[in-house]
């Protein structure tokens, strides 16, 4: 089975305004595409804080305190950022869902929203960049429409 991943990240540039993309040595015949979708400038209402990339949740490997597949209509909550953060940005991955599926990401403590942060076909692995508001205690909630594995890698967070 061929799996496609389209990771999206916010990355800090070098002093020369460049980025470095590294492909694993064993990744034969790998195509890499980089699309610029925006930039940041000083003076905005929120400040983006780049994080060292870190996996906060991986239900396959018990990262983030969850064991086993993300269940049908189950909500998983994750401490996603340090105190003072109001939103988080990262890669949200739906991994090998049993059926066509989606994951909804939202601040804990509110009703599950109607919109999805990532959608995936049965048996596929799909990644999407998500920027999501957080609860007042910096928690992110993730709802799965069907049984799947779920991964969330933080790229950074937003502070006032």
């Amino acid at each position: 089975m061929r799996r496609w991943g389209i990771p999206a990240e916010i990355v800090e540039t070098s002093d020369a305004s460049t980025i470095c993309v590294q492909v694993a040595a064993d990744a034969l015949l790998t195509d890499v595409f980089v699309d610029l979708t925006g930039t940041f400038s000083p003076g905005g209402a929120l400040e983006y804080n780049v994080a060292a990339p870190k996996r906060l949740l991986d239900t396959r490997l018990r990262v983030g305190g969850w064991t086993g597949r993300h269940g049908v209509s189950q909500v998983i909550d994750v401490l996603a950022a340090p105190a003072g953060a109001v939103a988080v940005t990262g890669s949200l991955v739906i991994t090998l869902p049993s059926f066509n599926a989606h994951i909804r990401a939202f601040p804990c403590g509110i009703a599950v929203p109607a919109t999805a942060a990532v959608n995936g076909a049965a048996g596929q692995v799909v990644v999407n960049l998500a920027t999501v508001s957080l609860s007042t205690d910096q928690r992110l909630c993730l709802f799965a429409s069907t049984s799947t594995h779920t991964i969330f890698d933080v790229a950074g967070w937003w502070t006032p």
Side-chain angles (χ1 to χ4, degrees):
M1 174 192 326
R2 177 178 274 186
R3 294 193 184 142
W4 296 91
I6 306 171
E9 293 291 334
I10 294 175
V11 295
E12 189 171 11
T13 60
S14 71
D15 290 340
S17 297
T18 61
I19 63 168
C20 180
V21 178
Q22 184 175 6
V23 178
D26 63 348
L28 299 175
L29 303 175
T30 300
D31 293 317
V32 176
F33 298 89
V34 177
D35 293 323
L36 176 66
T37 59
T39 60
F40 298 97
S41 60
L46 295 176
E47 180 179 325
Y48 181 70
N49 301 272
V50 176
K54 181 177 181 183
R55 181 147 296 167
L56 296 183
L57 175 70
D58 188 337
T59 61
R60 303 167 308 165
L61 304 172
R62 300 181 181 176
V63 173
W66 294 93
T67 302
R69 293 175 70 82
H70 194 160
V72 177
S73 299
Q74 180 182 26
V75 175
I76 292 177
D77 67 286
V78 178
L79 180 60
V86 296
V88 66
T89 297
S91 296
L92 181 58
V93 186
I94 191 166
T95 305
L96 306 175
S98 300
F99 302 96
N100 292 348
H102 64 267
I103 296 175
R104 302 175 196 180
F106 57 99
C108 296
I110 68 166
V112 177
T115 57
V118 65
N119 300 283
Q124 296 295 304
V125 176
V126 180
V127 62
N128 195 30
L129 183 68
T131 298
V132 184
S133 294
L134 297 171
S135 63
T136 56
D137 60 352
Q138 290 70 47
R139 298 197 79 76
L140 169 68
C141 277
L142 302 166
F143 166 93
S145 66
T146 194
S147 176
T148 186
H149 279 294
T150 303
I151 301 168
F152 183 75
D153 295 336
V154 68
W157 51 85
W158 301 85
T159 54

